[in-house]
Amino acid sequence: MEIGNGFRPHTVTWLVVAVGLLGLTWLWVSARRRFLAVAVDDTHLRQGSERLPLTRITEVDGENADATDRRDTGRGRVLGGGFDVPRGYDEVRLRLDDDTTVRAWARDGAALRRALRTAVTDSTP
């Protein structure tokens, strides 16, 4: 636009703006990868920066349960340190060995339920 109007382009300004936008994009992507990561391995469930040992999980909510069917929606601490389940993610309720309920989350709630059921059954002695 500057060249079309006969002005000398502000190359340094445009480079600074490009580097700034690239930095903000990198920050956004790395934060989402860190805080919205979900992994189930042989010993732990990792939700964001929080790790929960599978030996603490005593019950995984029903396979066909969704947020509209639950009478106690909104109860229990959210794993991963957030105030609520991230938008666009399914909620999976877990009962722990101290009889508390926590809320896990994943893009595919059914797959997380299956993985947790398999991992919990395999980790129980």
Side-chain angles (χ1 to χ4, degrees):
M1 188 154 81
E2 293 174 340
I3 294 173
N5 289 332
F7 296 110
R8 201 175 105 236
H10 296 107
T11 308
V12 174
T13 303
W14 285 114
L15 286 175
V16 168
V17 168
V19 168
L21 290 174
L22 186 63
L24 288 173
T25 303
W26 175 81
L27 185 65
W28 177 263
V29 169
S30 63
R32 286 193 56 95
R33 282 186 179 169
R34 179 176 177 202
F35 294 112
L36 295 179
V38 177
V40 178
D41 62 17
D42 293 339
T43 58
H44 287 86
L45 162 65
R46 184 171 60 92
Q47 299 255 213
S49 58
E50 185 173 351
R51 291 172 52 97
L52 178 70
L54 293 177
T55 55
R56 295 215 41 220
I57 300 173
T58 59
E59 181 184 339
V60 180
D61 73 355
E63 182 71 32
N64 297 324
D66 62 5
T68 57
D69 291 340
R70 292 191 190 93
R71 289 183 290 271
D72 60 348
T73 299
R75 294 190 186 169
R77 181 177 66 83
V78 176
L79 293 177
F83 295 113
D84 201 3
V85 174
R87 192 175 335 152
Y89 285 71
D90 293 335
E91 182 178 307
V92 178
R93 295 198 179 265
L94 306 175
R95 183 161 310 278
L96 302 181
D97 55 358
D98 60 355
D99 207 35
T100 59
T101 301
V102 293
R103 297 184 290 164
W105 41 266
R107 283 243 187 241
D108 186 358
L112 179 61
R113 283 182 191 94
R114 283 191 304 272
L116 283 173
R117 284 194 181 110
T118 303
V120 167
T121 342
D122 293 345
S123 70
T124 54

